[in-house]
Every structure is written in structure tokens, then in C-alpha cells.
Amino acid sequence: MRCDYACGTHEGLSRRSFIGGTTAGALSMLGFNGMTQVQASKKLASQQKQVVVFWLSGGVSQLETWDPKPGAETGGPFQAISTSAPGVQISELLPHTAQQMHHLALVRGINTKENDHGKGGYIMQTGRKKQPGFAFPYLGSSFSSHLSAPDSPLPGYISVGAGGSSKESTFLGPRHAPLVLSGGRAPSNLELHSSMQADRDKVRRNLRSKISRRFEQKRKTAHTEVYNESFDQAAALMSKRDVFDFSKFSDKDVERYGKHDFGRHCLMARQLIEKGVTFVKVGHTNYDTHSENFNFHIEQLGEFDKPFATFISDLYDRGLLEHTLIICMCEFGRTPRINSRIGRDHWGTAWSVALGGTGIKGGAVSGKTNETGTKVIDREVNGGHLFHTYYQAVGLDSTEEFYPNGQPIAKADPKAEPIKEILA
Amino acid sequence: MFRTNMRVCVLLLVIFLLNALPPKIASAAPPQLSEAPLVAKKPKAAPGKSLHKIIDEQIQSEYKDLTKSVSTISSDGEFLRRVYLDLTGRTPSITKTREFLNDSRSDKRAILVDQLLASPEYARYTSQQLDVILMRRLSKKYINVSTWEEYLRKSVAENKPLDQIVREIFAADGSNKETQAAARFYLARAGDVNELTRDIGKIFLGADLTCAQCHDHPDVNEWKQDHYYGISAFLIRSFVFTDKKKKQTVFAEKAEGEVKFESVFEVRDKTSKGAETTLPVVFNGPKISEPAFKKGEEYQVKPAKDVRPIPKYSRRAQLGVSITSPQNRRFARTMANRLWAMMLGRGIVHPLDADHSDNPPSHPQLLEILTDQMISHQFDLKWYLREIVLSETYQRSSANDLFNKKSAEKLDDSRFTHAIMKPLTPEQFSWAVLQATGYADIHRKSLKKKLTEESLRKKLLGYEKRFVTLFGGLPGKPVEGFETTADQILYLSNDGGIQGLVMPSSGNTADRVLKVPVDQPDKIAEELYLSVLNRHPDQTETEEVTKLLQGKAGVERSQMVSDLVWALVMSSEFRFNH
């Protein structure tokens, strides 16, 4: 395979800085209609479930992380190490994470049958294969709509260093689109201009809506609704701007998490979870290792391991892990076969994901691959099973349906079921 | 398959010509006509209707029972704002707005269109749109961006045929000072053969061939790995070369190098017969054979350390010719479709890079006609845009009673029964804001005799760039469709740069409004609405303004006027080109 460029990855192997747009609104593809879920949301919101996704973009190698095969021809140079979960071994590249394994469960039997970055990412974040003409909401948007209080001034879905598009929320509407914190910074202009007063601002914003509504009367409103809603969201953000004050991390914390972007992003995620944000996506990139797979994994996982482990242990210490689900995933795994450039290519056939926190049985392992890691030999699952599992872990019924425009859309693929053995 | 299409289209052309010609000639003509070459007729020799009339016939023939649901023709105000935005990238001044609304000539729309097409702003804005299409807002690499922008601006100003622009871009290697700017297409992509292949397919051929790099396209039957590598083959010998002495980076080429490909599926299933190769070829066109040279005689300048090699035969030199060849209808068709989408808000084939048989055009006949006319008019950009904006189809209102009744499913955007509301491009948005708030007029005045399009733009460039950064998407990934982000709204709401525009300042909109005598509330509302939304306020709106300002004086009054300007500029009516 030489999908090293054209498979649509924007990562490459360079340290390209990703200046994501800060996204508060979304293209509402099917109009506003996710409102039938309001009651369920209210009920669950009272239980305060939260979710953090670690998105290892490019596709981390399962063999260098959760499903090591030391000694196999496909295994690569690294050893497996024991962890805090009895009987569970992971790669020696994750020594800190190994100490948190009793909080984590592994799913080692994933077969998504998809080797394309875009499509793999879609499956993992929507639980479905891409279907022409229909757009499923992304995980962050779904959980934002289910778990965040309808009247919360905070966005339900914030992405830190992980990009994101306002189109992710599809029919759930702009309220549940990701707010992307570009460059790991709080949004600028969170305060009123010095010449403006709050009551005056309110008057002019009301006036703006009134003028807009008159115009929209006989027009198609899919886009204008998004635009109007984003003014309300901006106002809500301004009222909660302390949530985005990332200037107060202690030196000790900065030391513990590491003085790099990912460490800082994990700290930001910790703060956002503490302040009650429902869904936080944290990105770590550069795993598309078509060449030099092992060197890149030493480097990338060397950066990832400690802050990830520290994050889990901090959440545990602060009592947050009890109601926070943690998911560490990516588009796909990497080929067991090591190519001529000492790389591993895209591989959706037999790979792993790690879960932890609320609703998850720490130390559990589901699924098994063969000796060389080329095939799932026990408990094969796909994106659909994972989605059911995420829903169940936070106490939601994954067999329910959305009703955009009155048409039932199953929340998770009806052909799949939850991975019960890792649920607490 | 394009051969078949071509036959269909010849047939259509014939049918159309038959209709257009007087009956006598028509009965005599068929034998000759059916054998007439596809790319015949110069525009002036072509009989009958102008393209805008044909567009309307084609679109309207599709309405059938939709006649009742078609939007009316836009009001003068709506048309004025729309055509200004589309052709010059800004909204009209209050003076121009008044003048146009009061003009009673029946052909005033056509007159305006010709004025706008002749303006320097047309060249600047249209070239910016071409730039986004060609460069996807990529950052600077090797080639100075402003020289590239100037190259495009000049090309549009002299109405250089589109195919010629494309040939120039493909011919430029960056070594020659005069053509250096055009090499940005290759060099900003660092000469990457895969990135170039992808973008050439998407931009010029209406085909996102990305998936066909590793195997035949899984979802589009007719897109093969051969198509991907046929285009790659033009570029496989090219590489970025930096001449250290001249301190110049160019796109150089070797005399050897072939594409090699095999399907990863076949490799996996062990059915592969080994790697294949192909000569350069654009889709199903002729493969481009090449001269053979004796070993050792392939070069004019042989490769050596720090020397730029020059082969006797350049594969890359064939690229522009092959892409723009009239035999390659995909190019004309894609250009016709892209420009249509630019003006109408949606392609006839949509998405624009998914032109294949499983994604048929909304109006196949019309697209064939546009393609033919694009070719027969020698890729005349200005003529084409003019015909589009003169059509009723373009001039329909975006308003429609059916939207109100929520029985709007009949009004599918792809039928063009109504004007699709297009989000303002970042360039349009910035210029429109500066025009509506009066900031642009202040600079026009202060420049006095030095006022030119260029000198004015220099004054406004800071804002334009800010808007492009905030609203334009990421380099290489420009915003498509409509997205809105918290950054944008917080900027529009709270940034000093915007607040400064809406506060009264000598000669700006708020200032002018404040100078209208307090006892003429109608005039106050009119000044506001004509300046910002380019239309008269209705009664409700006039009353609203009057009420808000009633009894207010001094600072209070001035703040309310600023807030009114802000509310109008930030309204959805302003944010979209409707």
C-alpha cells in the first residue's frame, strides 16, 4: 500500500501545526428535530455523566500499544510488560499507562474493514459506515445532546487540539457541534468591547435577531438558523469565560503532564471536565507511520503515555472517574506486516481500542487476535458494537432511536450489540 | 463513455439548432449539421438565442408542475446587491443604490452588469475566486503570493481565456521571471505528485480520484487506477529543484521515470499480476506516446550535482495541452459547472468533483449545452458570467411563499426554482462590512485623486486578511458550504476592529445617519437601510427605527445608531448573498 498521501490524511508525518477553526455552530442537514430527546436528556443530565475521547489521529499501532506480539515475525522490537491489571500485558512503550490498567478495559477484536482515514474516522466516530445521502451525528454531538442539560450555557462538546467540524452534529443541530479550541487557546474576544455595556449588548443582539427573523420568513432557513444560534452560543460562552481560563495551572501540574502541547491539552481537558463540560475530545497526532513505525511510536507514545496516565489517575483521585467515560481510539490500527520502509500501513482488520472509567470493568479484556495479529480469532466486533458499549457505559439505552423529521434512526447499529464483558 | 455523451450532445445541439433556425433552413440543413464538428461555430456566427435564454428554457422546461412554486424575479434591491457581490465582491454604495433604484430604464439590469464587468473590482474579485479554486488557500511556498495574485488579476482583467490561463499554469516551471508566478500551482504543493494528481482531478476534471490511487475507485465504477496514474504520469518525472547560485526554486524534470501501480486488493488476494505502468493520459483520451532517444542522448542539459537537468522531451509540457484539449470535454464541462456553482450556489453536477454516472447532473442537457458553448466561446470567462447573471434563473428571488408554508420540499435547491442563499465569501464579507459601515467611503474620499481599486484595497487589506483567516477555513482546506464558529461570532460581536466601524466617525454610516434631522424619522431609517441592506425599509422597519431613537439625544442617540448599524450588518440578511 502506498496510501501515504492520498488517503486523505492531513497529518502526514510532519509536525504540521493544526489551526482548527473554533466551531460553535453546525450545518443542520435535516433541520432541527432532535428535540424529542429533551426529557431523556434531562433525566440523564442529573446523573452528570461525562466523556473524554483521546483521538490518536493517523492510526496508532495496536502492536505497539494494546495488543503487543513480542517475538512474532510481525511483532516488532518491543516487549510486552505486565500491568496493574492481573494477567493483562501491554507494550513496554506505555509504562505509565500500564500502572492505570486496572481502570481500563481493552477491546482487542476490532474489525472495521476500513483502511481509509476519512471513512475509518467516520466509522469510529459515528458507529456506522458512511452512507450516501445520510449523515449520522458524531459521538461528541450525540453525547452532548443526551448528557448535557438543555439550558446549560456551556457547549456540550469541546475539542482540544483535535480539530472538528460544525457539520458533525448533523440533525442534532448547532447546539451540539464541537467548539474547537484552536492552538490550545481559549477563544479570543470572550469579553465585551470596552465601549459596550451588557444591557446595551443585549438590546442590539435582540434587534439583530428580530431583523433576521423578518428576512427569513419566506426563505430557506437551514443556514440562517445556524448563524443565528451561533450568536446565542457566543453569548453563553462569554458568560462562562472562566471555564476557558487556562492560565492557572500549577508548575507541579505542568511538570506532571509534560511541557508539550499534548500535556497542556490534557490539563485543559481535566479543567473542562471539572467545570462540567459533557464531552471533551483531545487529539494527539502523527501516528500515520507508513515509514519508521517504531521510531515514530517511541517518540509519539513517549509523549502520550505519561499525561494520559496522569489524567486517568487525577480523575480517579478527584472522584471524577466514577462518572466519566474514557475512550482512547483512532481511525484504524496498523498492519502487522512491516513494510520495506520499516513502516506499518493502514489496518482496519484486527486492532484495539482502550476504554475506562464509568460503566467499564477495569482490567477486562475482550477479543483476541492470532499469534501474528493478522486476524481476530475471538469476539470480533466493529464500530457498531463499540457505540452500543459507549452508550451503555454512560447509562443510555443504545437501542433507542433518534427521530430527525419523524424518521427513526437507530442510535447505534441495530445489527450490533454492546460488548457486555467489559461493562461493569 | 464520453464518446457516447458527445454523440448525445451533438444530437441535442442539432435539435436545439433546429428549433432556433428558421424552418426553411432547418429542413435543408440536417445532413450537414449532424456531421458538423462538435467544436464548431464561433459565437457570432451561431444563430439564434443567447445563452441566458437557453439557460432559462432548459431550467424552466424542468419545472413542469412547479410553475406555481417558482420564485418571482428578484426586486431591484435584491438583484443589485446580489450582482454587485457576485461580480465585484462588495455591496453597492448608498449613492449607487439610490441611483439604481430610481433608474426607470427597462434595461437597467443589463447596463449595470456591463458596468460591473468592466470595473477593476470585477477583475480583482473574480481572480480571488479563481485563486481559491486553484490554490485552496494554500500558504506561501517558494513563489511570492502577491505576484501570483497579480498574475491572476491581470489575466482576468484582460479576459484571458480560461483554458489559456490553465495552460500557462501548467507550463510555468518558475525559472522564467515573467511566468514565475504561475508556477505557484506546482510549487505551493511542493511538486508532490499525489497532491497534484488529486487537485488536478478535482479542480479541472470534476473527479476526486483520491481513492483510485491504491485501487480502482471502490464507489465509482468508471474511475480506475489507470485514470489516477494516467495523470500522475505527466508529473512523475518532475521534482522541485533549488538552484543555490540563483537562489531560485523551480519545478525541474528528468528524462526518465515511470508510474508503477497495482491494486492493493489484488496484492492482498494474491491475484496481482505485478506492477503496471501507463503513459500519460487524461481519462479515456489518447495515451501520449513519446519520442525515443538513444541512451545518453535524452538530455539537453544532463543531470549533475547542483545542475538542473533539462530533458529533450518534457512529459509535463503535455499536461496543459491535454487537459484543455477540446477532445477532453471533462475540462470544459467542469469549468462550466464550477462557474455555474460560483454564481448559482450549487453545481449542476454536485458535488463539483463527483462528476460520474452514479451522480448525474440535475440538468444533463443544460450542462451539455454549457459545455459546448464554453468550448465554442473559447473559454470566455466574462461572456459566460454575463450570460449567467442575465438569465432569469440567476435573477430569481431567494424568497418564496412555499418556504413560509413549510411545504418546501418541492423547492429542492437542485431545481433552481429560487435563488440559493450563498454565504458571503470571506472577501465579500469583509468588503461588504466596510462598505455598509461607510469605512470604505471614508477611504475613497481621503484618497482623492489617488483613488484606484489598488490604492483602496491597500487601505482595506488588513480587514480582508482578517476575515479570510477567520472565515476562510484552513490552508488547503477552504470552507465549503456554510460553517460558523465561535471565533467568528466573538470577533463580530466584541472585537475593537468591528466596534470601531459601527461607531460614528466623520463620514461613515453612523455619522451620516446622525446628521439626518431628528424630525425626519423616515429619512433616518432610509439612510440606514439603503446603506447597509441596499433596500428601502418597510413600514415596520421604519417604525422600529423611529421608536428606538425616540427621545434619545447625545451619547445615547449615537450609541443607539451604532447598535442599529451593528444589528443590520450582523443580520442574516447581510451574512448571505440572497
Side-chain angles (χ1 to χ4, degrees):
Chain A
M1 275 191 238
R2 32 196 137 81
C3 285
D4 42 356
Y5 179 76
C7 282
T9 169
H10 51 77
E11 315 299 342
L13 286 176
S14 62
R15 290 190 176 275
R16 220 175 274 176
S17 68
F18 187 74
I19 323 151
T22 304
T23 314
L27 178 69
S28 169
M29 306 192 73
L30 299 173
F32 273 91
N33 243 316
M35 297 308 165
T36 50
Q37 303 303 321
V38 166
Q39 284 190 325
S41 286
K42 269 187 186 154
K43 194 179 116 220
L44 278 154
S46 63
Q47 296 168 14
Q48 276 191 333
K49 299 284 185 193
Q50 291 168 285
V51 183
V52 182
V53 164
F54 288 86
W55 182 258
L56 305 188
S57 127
V60 74
S61 167
Q62 71 284 2
L63 295 157
E64 273 68 58
T65 50
W66 314 118
D67 194 10
K69 305 280 177 188
E73 53 172 324
T74 53
F78 306 120
Q79 297 303 310
I81 53 171
S82 294
T83 68
S84 61
V88 180
Q89 293 207 316
I90 61 172
S91 168
E92 63 172 332
L93 296 182
L94 298 173
H96 296 280
T97 304
Q99 294 312 308
Q100 301 299 323
M101 217 46 220
H102 58 291
H103 293 306
L104 297 173
L106 297 177
V107 181
R108 282 175 172 161
I110 302 175
N111 182 2
T112 41
K113 300 178 180 148
E114 183 54 66
N115 294 336
D116 174 275
H117 285 285
K119 289 178 187 166
Y122 188 83
I123 289 176
M124 293 305 289
Q125 293 180 90
T126 65
R128 310 296 175 94
K129 264 187 124 58
K130 211 163 204 165
Q131 285 171 28
F134 192 80
F136 290 102
Y138 276 49
L139 192 57
S141 305
S142 296
F143 280 168
S144 166
S145 97
H146 283 119
L147 302 175
S148 56
D151 51 356
S152 166
L154 280 175
Y157 172 12
I158 296 183
S159 166
V160 185
S165 154
S166 61
K167 291 172 183 168
E168 289 183 15
S169 60
T170 66
F171 57 75
L172 297 175
R175 168 82 180 81
H176 302 294
L179 171 76
V180 181
L181 300 187
S182 56
R185 279 180 294 103
S188 348
N189 289 311
L190 272 172
E191 283 179 50
L192 286 176
H193 186 253
S194 54
S195 68
M196 181 55 60
Q197 301 83 39
D199 51 343
R200 230 182 103 193
D201 184 53
K202 206 172 163 194
V203 170
R204 67 172 188 166
R205 283 196 292 108
N206 286 340
L207 192 55
R208 195 209 67 81
S209 319
K210 242 166 109 184
I211 295 168
S212 301
R213 271 202 304 278
R214 280 198 295 262
F215 166 75
E216 288 152 21
Q217 255 172 22
K218 293 179 176 178
R219 289 182 167 87
K220 208 163 191 167
T221 52
H223 289 170
T224 54
E225 274 176 27
V226 174
Y227 185 59
N228 294 334
E229 171 114 10
S230 63
F231 277 89
D232 296 339
Q233 286 177 5
L237 271 185
M238 289 163 63
S239 74
K240 292 295 259 182
R241 57 181 173 277
D242 60 313
V243 170
F244 302 99
D245 180 358
F246 300 117
S247 63
K248 299 199 170 82
F249 299 127
S250 70
D251 293 348
K252 198 179 156 211
D253 270 344
V254 173
E255 196 61 42
R256 291 165 68 231
Y257 277 83
K259 288 177 181 168
H260 42 71
D261 287 350
F262 180 65
R264 181 175 162 76
H265 294 165
C266 288
L267 267 172
M268 289 167 68
R270 193 187 73 185
Q271 176 170 323
L272 293 171
I273 289 294
E274 276 177 322
K275 299 272 186 187
V277 173
T278 298
F279 187 101
V280 180
K281 180 179 177 187
V282 186
H284 195 221
T285 186
N286 256 4
Y287 289 98
D288 199 12
T289 51
H290 290 280
S291 56
E292 294 295 337
N293 175 71
F294 304 106
N295 285 336
F296 267 107
H297 275 83
I298 291 177
E299 191 183 325
Q300 293 311 106
L301 293 173
E303 192 171 276
F304 168 79
D305 180 41
K306 196 175 169 211
F308 176 67
T310 309
F311 181 85
I312 295 171
S313 100
D314 277 3
L315 255 56
Y316 177 74
D317 290 347
R318 293 162 191 227
L320 297 166
L321 204 55
E322 271 172 43
H323 55 81
T324 306
L325 172 68
I326 292 175
I327 308 168
C328 178
M329 63 167 163
C330 46
E331 305 97 298
F332 37 57
R334 306 212 74 85
T335 48
R337 194 180 74 91
I338 299 161
N339 69 25
S340 58
R341 290 170 293 175
I342 329 288
R344 296 192 195 266
D345 301 311
H346 303 169
W347 182 249
T349 311
W351 61 290
S352 315
V353 153
L355 300 171
T358 188
I360 297 296
K361 196 189 285 176
V365 175
S366 157
K368 200 173 173 185
T369 51
N370 65 5
E371 276 174 21
T372 47
T374 57
K375 228 174 121 176
V376 177
I377 54 172
D378 180 39
R379 188 62 165 131
E380 180 175 307
V381 296
N382 59 35
H385 298 87
L386 289 167
F387 252 60
H388 280 283
T389 312
Y390 305 149
Y391 269 91
Q392 302 272 348
V394 294
L396 289 165
D397 182 354
S398 59
T399 62
E400 283 182 353
E401 284 153 339
F402 290 116
Y403 287 92
N405 299 338
Q407 173 201 7
I409 307 288
K411 289 180 180 170
D413 188 350
K415 293 196 287 289
E417 70 283 339
I419 307 166
K420 288 224 169 69
E421 61 271 28
I422 64 161
L423 287 170
Chain B
M1 71 151 275
F2 275 92
R3 295 259 159 94
T4 329
N5 268 355
M6 275 158 79
R7 249 178 254 133
V8 172
C9 118
V10 171
L11 205 70
L12 291 173
L13 195 65
V14 170
I15 292 167
F16 150 65
L17 287 172
L18 283 178
N19 289 335
L21 290 169
K24 247 192 282 171
I25 304 174
S27 60
Q32 289 91 329
L33 272 175
S34 63
E35 281 165 35
L38 251 189
V39 192
K41 316 275 175 193
K42 287 260 177 164
K44 275 166 197 152
K49 293 178 183 129
S50 12
L51 182 57
H52 65 269
K53 296 255 194 262
I54 303 173
I55 289 172
D56 292 331
E57 278 175 9
Q58 288 286 323
I59 294 287
Q60 282 161 24
S61 76
E62 300 265 336
Y63 290 164
K64 290 186 184 114
D65 57 358
L66 291 180
T67 330
K68 280 185 199 148
S69 51
V70 171
S71 293
T72 54
I73 296 297
S74 54
S75 68
D76 278 347
E78 195 177 6
F79 172 76
L80 173 73
R81 184 178 194 267
R82 184 186 302 167
V83 79
Y84 248 89
L85 282 165
D86 280 335
L87 297 181
T88 69
R90 68 168 174 96
T91 49
S93 67
I94 185 167
T95 317
K96 182 72 208 181
T97 305
R98 285 207 166 99
E99 187 187 305
F100 186 77
L101 296 182
N102 295 332
D103 188 342
S104 56
R105 287 175 294 179
S106 62
D107 55 349
K108 66 176 179 180
R109 293 193 180 195
I111 293 170
L112 173 69
V113 165
D114 287 329
Q115 278 171 1
L116 297 182
L117 285 170
S119 71
E121 289 167 302
Y122 160 77
R124 195 254 312 148
Y125 179 66
T126 307
S127 69
Q128 286 179 312
Q129 295 310 98
L130 284 186
D131 181 26
V132 178
I133 292 173
L134 293 169
M135 297 313 304
R136 306 168 57 79
R137 299 202 190 274
L138 284 169
S139 324
K140 183 199 163 184
K141 198 159 205 172
Y142 305 123
I143 300 290
N144 183 315
V145 177
S146 47
T147 58
W148 156 261
E149 287 169 350
E150 180 56 14
Y151 158 74
L152 281 182
R153 195 198 58 79
K154 262 174 115 173
S155 300
V156 175
E158 64 196 53
N159 199 28
K160 199 184 274 176
L162 270 178
D163 60 334
Q164 190 188 331
I165 298 179
V166 173
R167 278 193 300 272
E168 287 175 4
I169 285 168
F170 283 136
D173 65 7
S175 66
N176 178 331
K177 210 176 167 214
E178 273 145 48
T179 59
Q180 195 176 34
R184 175 161 151 80
F185 186 84
Y186 291 133
L187 291 176
R189 292 171 172 90
D192 182 297
V193 65
N194 288 322
E195 193 171 345
L196 285 166
T197 302
R198 178 195 67 186
D199 285 354
I200 289 168
K202 280 169 77 93
I203 298 166
F204 304 111
L205 302 170
D208 183 353
L209 294 171
T210 311
C211 289
Q213 186 188 349
C214 304
H215 38 67
D216 291 345
H217 199 293
D219 303 328
V220 182
N221 251 334
E222 65 224 42
W223 291 352
K224 306 294 185 195
Q225 220 176 348
D226 304 61
H227 293 134
Y228 184 93
Y229 285 95
I231 294 164
S232 289
F234 285 100
L235 297 160
I236 192 71
R237 297 175 176 178
S238 297
F239 63 101
V240 173
F241 174 84
T242 301
D243 189 322
K244 287 173 192 158
K245 274 184 210 155
K246 288 191 195 164
K247 289 190 180 156
Q248 188 186 49
T249 296
V250 300
F251 203 32
E253 196 172 10
K254 295 175 292 186
E256 63 283 321
E258 304 294 333
V259 290
K260 278 190 204 133
F261 60 98
E262 57 189 322
S263 162
V264 291
F265 296 149
E266 288 171 12
V267 171
R268 187 186 61 194
D269 304 342
K270 304 209 164 69
T271 54
S272 173
K273 293 181 188 109
E276 294 175 63
T277 186
T278 177
L279 282 165
V281 50
V282 176
F283 264 84
N284 301 327
K287 289 198 177 178
I288 299 167
S289 56
E290 40 201 45
F293 297 98
K294 273 190 200 158
K295 211 168 161 51
E297 292 179 15
E298 303 95 337
Y299 283 96
Q300 283 177 45
V301 178
K302 285 191 183 177
K305 192 173 183 290
D306 294 334
V307 172
R308 175 199 176 173
I310 300 179
K312 283 185 183 155
Y313 171 78
S314 163
R315 262 197 186 181
R316 203 175 71 232
Q318 309 298 318
L319 179 59
V321 184
S322 306
I323 294 273
T324 61
S325 148
Q327 270 83 55
N328 175 30
R329 282 182 64 83
R330 280 200 90 100
F331 173 68
R333 182 173 155 107
T334 304
M335 288 301 110
N337 191 49
R338 274 194 174 281
L339 296 169
W340 175 277
M342 197 166 101
M343 305 312 276
L344 275 304
R346 184 195 164 91
I348 298 173
V349 169
H350 201 82
L352 307 183
D353 57 5
D355 189 5
H356 57 79
S357 50
D358 291 336
N359 181 38
S362 58
H363 298 76
Q365 297 189 20
L366 174 59
L367 187 55
E368 286 302 331
I369 293 167
L370 295 177
T371 306
D372 285 332
Q373 295 241 359
M374 184 59 100
I375 295 170
S376 63
H377 279 78
Q378 287 139 353
F379 296 88
D380 183 336
L381 176 61
K382 199 177 271 195
W383 163 81
Y384 188 72
L385 296 180
R386 182 175 185 275
E387 291 298 324
I388 289 181
V389 300
L390 289 180
S391 71
E392 286 181 6
T393 305
Y394 172 84
Q395 295 189 20
R396 292 209 177 277
S397 174
S398 58
N400 192 308
D401 286 341
L402 285 185
F403 286 132
N404 202 16
K405 288 175 193 135
K406 303 276 174 204
S407 57
E409 64 270 23
K410 272 188 173 177
L411 297 182
D412 189 309
D413 283 349
S414 70
R415 298 339 299 171
F416 301 105
T417 46
H418 55 276
I420 297 171
M421 294 208 282
K422 297 171 289 194
L424 300 187
T425 63
E427 290 84 358
Q428 284 173 330
F429 200 8
S430 59
W431 282 73
V433 168
L434 299 173
Q435 185 62 53
T437 55
Y439 184 79
D441 283 336
I442 293 179
H443 280 294
R444 282 195 186 95
K445 242 187 206 154
S446 73
L447 280 164
K448 290 180 192 150
K449 281 185 181 165
K450 287 183 195 149
L451 175 65
T452 61
E453 212 284 318
E454 199 188 354
S455 65
L456 179 64
R457 182 169 181 243
K458 262 190 199 149
K459 299 280 182 194
L460 309 184
L461 195 58
Y463 275 103
E464 189 189 298
K465 292 208 156 153
R466 187 78 197 266
F467 272 73
V468 168
T469 308
L470 269 171
F471 295 86
L474 298 170
K477 230 183 149 192
V479 160
E480 282 165 29
F482 180 65
E483 291 202 28
T484 177
T485 70
D487 264 359
Q488 295 170 0
I489 305 301
L490 292 170
Y491 170 75
L492 297 174
S493 304
N494 303 334
D495 197 89
I498 296 293
Q499 195 55 29
L501 295 175
V502 298
M503 293 195 308
S505 155
S506 176
N508 77 357
T509 301
D511 181 53
R512 277 191 282 108
V513 172
L514 283 166
K515 282 187 178 141
V516 180
V518 183
D519 58 357
Q520 297 180 23
D522 290 7
K523 289 263 186 299
I524 294 175
E526 189 186 287
E527 187 78 19
L528 266 170
Y529 273 77
L530 286 177
S531 299
V532 181
L533 297 176
N534 311 113
R535 64 170 177 86
H536 287 285
D538 65 19
Q539 204 188 332
T540 320
E541 288 162 337
T542 304
E543 282 166 12
E544 185 179 69
V545 172
T546 310
K547 214 176 135 202
L548 285 166
L549 289 173
Q550 207 139 46
K552 292 204 170 70
V555 179
E556 228 193 344
R557 183 178 178 83
S558 134
Q559 285 184 343
M560 183 44 80
V561 167
S562 305
D563 294 351
L564 267 164
V565 174
W566 182 88
L568 287 165
V569 167
M570 299 309 158
S571 69
S572 55
E573 178 168 355
F574 192 89
R575 180 67 183 86
F576 293 86
N577 186 1
H578 53 84

